[in-house]
């Protein structure tokens, strides 16, 4: 895979957990984590992604050496 074709971002979706806090799931890699606050779940996503990719060949996985993690918060709509 050429350098220009390597992905530069990992996308994660955070959503409120049914019990408490938030759960985040990554789209491109098998990472799921949770946290009581948005700050905590964001930090946990960063740590979980780093651990998942640690020691791996990023290029072989289709990722550039410098990655950005994009976390999107999904909320259920509220009705008036």
């Amino acid at each position: 895979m050429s350098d220009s074709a390597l992905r530069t971002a990992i996308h994660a979706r955070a959503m409120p957990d049914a019990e408490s806090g938030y759960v985040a799931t990554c789209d491109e890699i098998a990472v799921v984590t949770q946290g009581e606050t948005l700050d905590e779940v964001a930090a946990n996503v960063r740590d979980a992604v780093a651990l998942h990719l640690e020691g791996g060949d990023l290029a072989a996985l289709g990722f550039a050496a410098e990655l950005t993690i994009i976390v999107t918060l999904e909320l259920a709509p509220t009705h008036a």
Side-chain angles (χ1 to χ4, degrees):
M1 189 174 267
S2 71
D3 287 344
S4 62
L6 296 177
R7 292 177 282 184
T8 58
I10 292 178
H11 298 86
R13 292 176 287 122
M15 58 206 86
D17 185 43
E19 306 270 327
S20 69
Y22 298 89
V23 173
T25 306
C26 290
D27 295 336
E28 293 86 3
I29 58 176
V31 167
V32 177
T33 190
Q34 63 185 30
E36 287 298 315
T37 65
L38 289 173
D39 287 339
E40 185 178 348
V41 81
N44 290 347
V45 166
R46 181 182 296 128
D47 292 344
V49 166
L51 286 171
H52 183 81
L53 297 176
E54 184 176 50
D57 182 353
L58 292 178
L61 295 172
F63 295 110
E66 295 294 321
L67 286 172
T68 299
I69 301 171
I70 300 170
V71 180
T72 303
L73 175 61
E74 292 186 4
L75 299 173
T78 57
H79 304 282

